[in-house]
Amino acid sequence: MSEKKRILTGDRTTGKLHLGHYVGSLQNRVRLQDEYESFILLADIQALTTHFEHPELLEHSIYEVAMDNLSVGLDPNKITLVQQSRIPSIGELTVFYSMLVSVNSLRHNPTIKTEAANYGYNDMTYGFLGYPVSQSADITFCKANLVPVGEDQKPHMEMTRKIVRRFNELYGETLVEPDMMLSDCPRLMGLDGNAKMGKSLGNAIYLSDPAEEVRKKVMSAVTDASRIKKDDPGHPDICVVSKYHKVFNAGEYENICESCKKGAIGCVACKKALASALSALLEPFREKRAYYEAHRDEVRDIILTGSEKANKIGNETVKEVKEAMHIYIGD
Ligand code: TRP
Ligand code: SF4
C-alpha cells in the first residue's frame, strides 16, 4: 500500500467547471498531486439531487468535468478519477451514516439552506436534504486525510468529521477524520460584480471557453462607475477587475492599482491586460482539452479504471465498518 496520505475531493457533474472552481479547488489539486494519493470524484449522484429531472445533461457533464480536471494539469497517471455512481460502497456507507445524523442538523446546514433558496425548493427531497451524509461517505470510503474545497463546503466537512468521531466512539476506531484545505482565494467574484461566480448566476468564465469568449466576458466587466473619462482617478479597491488582476496577474497588480488611482490607465487597457493574463493561464488548458476531446475513449477508460481501483478500497472499508458495527458474519 502507498505511504502517501490521501486526498479526496470532487465536483458535481451538473455542467462544466469555471474559473471559480479553478482558484477554489482545482489549483490545489494540481499542486498536491505528487505529495498525496489523490482521488477526484465525479459526483454524479450528488448531481442528481438537483438535476434528476435533466438526465439529458448528466452523461455529457461526467465527461466535461473529467476533462476539466485533466486539462488543468491533473495527470491521469498520478490521480484517480472516480465516478460516484460506480462505487456501491458510497451508497452503503451513506445508509449506515444516516443513523448518526439528525434531520435537524441537516435542516440547519447553511449551505443546504442557501442552495435550497437558490433553487427555490420549498419542499426539499430526502435526497437533497441528505446529500451531506452522502458526501461524508464520498470522503471516508477511501479514508481520505485531506479535502481541498471551497468555503461553501465547510458545513459538510464539519458534518463529516462529526460522523467519523461518532462512529469511532460508538464502534471503535475505524474511520479517518479528514482535514479541510481552503484555498488562498476561496471565493472568486463574478465580473458582473456579484459576490460569487456561478453557472446559475450567468457570470461564469468556463475553463473550456474559447479565447474570444473570455475576452468578451472580461471586456463587459463592471468597473468603477465614477470613471467617465480615461484620466479620471479610479478606485481599484471597489473594482472587480482589479481583484482579478490580484489573482491572475499578481505581478502587475500593484502597478495597475497605482496607475488606476492616478488616472494613468484606462479601463479598456486594464481589461485587455487582464484578458491576456487569463489567456496565458487558459491556453495550455485548451491544448490538453483538445487532446482529450479527440480521445474520449481514453477519458472513459481513465474513469472506469479509476472507479475500479476505488471500489476495491471502498469495499474493504465497508467490510471494516460492518465488522465494527457487528453486522458482518463472514463471506
Ligand atoms: N459538494 C461539492 C460541490 O458542490 C462536490 C462534492 C461531492 C465533493 N462530493 C465531494 C467535494 C466530496 C469534496 C469531497 O462542489
Ligand atoms: Fe477597474 Fe482597471 Fe478601470 Fe481601475 S482601470 S477602474 S482597476 S478596470
Side-chain angles (χ1 to χ4, degrees), residues 92-113:
E92 293 179 80
L93 292 174
T94 303
V95 175
F96 297 144
Y97 297 166
S98 71
M99 316 303 163
L100 307 177
V101 177
S102 79
V103 174
N104 272 335
S105 71
L106 290 164
R107 280 197 209 284
H108 292 139
N109 180 307
T111 298
I112 288 282
K113 280 191 186 168

Side-chain angles (χ1 to χ4, degrees), residues 223-224 227 236 239 241-242 256 260 265-267 270-271:
T223 61
D224 174 4
R227 292 195 83 192
C239 175
V241 177
S242 83
I256 283 170
C260 171
I265 180 176
C267 294
C270 182
K271 288 176 179 176

Side-chain angles (χ1 to χ4, degrees), residues 212-226:
E212 183 48 26
E213 186 74 23
V214 174
R215 203 191 58 84
K216 267 198 222 147
K217 288 179 178 173
V218 171
M219 295 318 281
S220 71
V222 293
T223 61
D224 174 4
S226 71

Side-chain angles (χ1 to χ4, degrees), residues 8-12 41 43 46 135 138-139 147 149 153:
L8 183 128
T9 186
D11 315 279
R12 288 182 195 177
L41 191 74
Q46 197 173 113
Q135 186 157 326
D138 296 342
I139 295 167
V147 187
V149 271
Q153 301 299 303

